[in-house]
Amino acid sequence: MADRNKDLLGRLADLSEEAVQRLADAPGADRALQALKGLGDRVDELQRRTRGFEELEKRLAKLEKRVDSLAKPKPARKPASGAGAAPPKSGPPPKKA
């Protein structure tokens, strides 16, 4: 049974090597290989750029809370006197004509 498995694995290895060689000899294989390599480089660059998003999102949430707190209307102050009337003027009473 072990010999049979080795034989099967050996045959699969040989077939896969042949398939890789045929792909390498196919027209346009070089372009496809270069595109795949370039894709890996672009994915790495994208990962590097997106690492900072989490920190930026935290900062944005903090700033949004600050803006919301500044935008809320402040409660009106109560006047010093209860009725809100102007205090009486000091001095002589007005003359009647």
Side-chain angles (χ1 to χ4, degrees):
M1 185 68 117
D3 291 335
R4 212 167 161 197
N5 285 339
K6 284 183 182 179
D7 187 40
L8 179 63
L9 292 176
R11 287 179 56 198
L12 284 174
D14 291 340
L15 287 174
S16 64
E17 287 177 14
E18 285 180 34
V20 169
Q21 287 177 354
R22 285 183 187 172
L23 284 174
D25 294 339
D30 289 337
R31 267 190 295 162
L33 185 59
Q34 293 298 325
L36 287 175
K37 285 182 182 178
L39 179 64
D41 293 340
R42 286 181 283 188
V43 167
D44 290 342
E45 178 70 18
L46 182 62
Q47 285 178 338
R48 185 184 64 79
R49 287 183 180 186
T50 56
R51 277 189 204 130
F53 280 167
E54 185 175 330
E55 182 182 336
L56 288 175
E57 287 175 347
K58 288 178 184 177
R59 288 176 55 194
L60 179 62
K62 185 178 176 182
L63 288 172
E64 285 176 340
K65 286 179 185 177
R66 259 180 90 183
V67 168
D68 287 344
S69 68
L70 292 174
K72 288 182 183 176
K74 295 184 179 183
R77 291 187 175 180
K78 294 182 181 178
S81 61
K89 293 182 182 178
S90 60
K95 294 180 182 180
K96 293 184 178 180

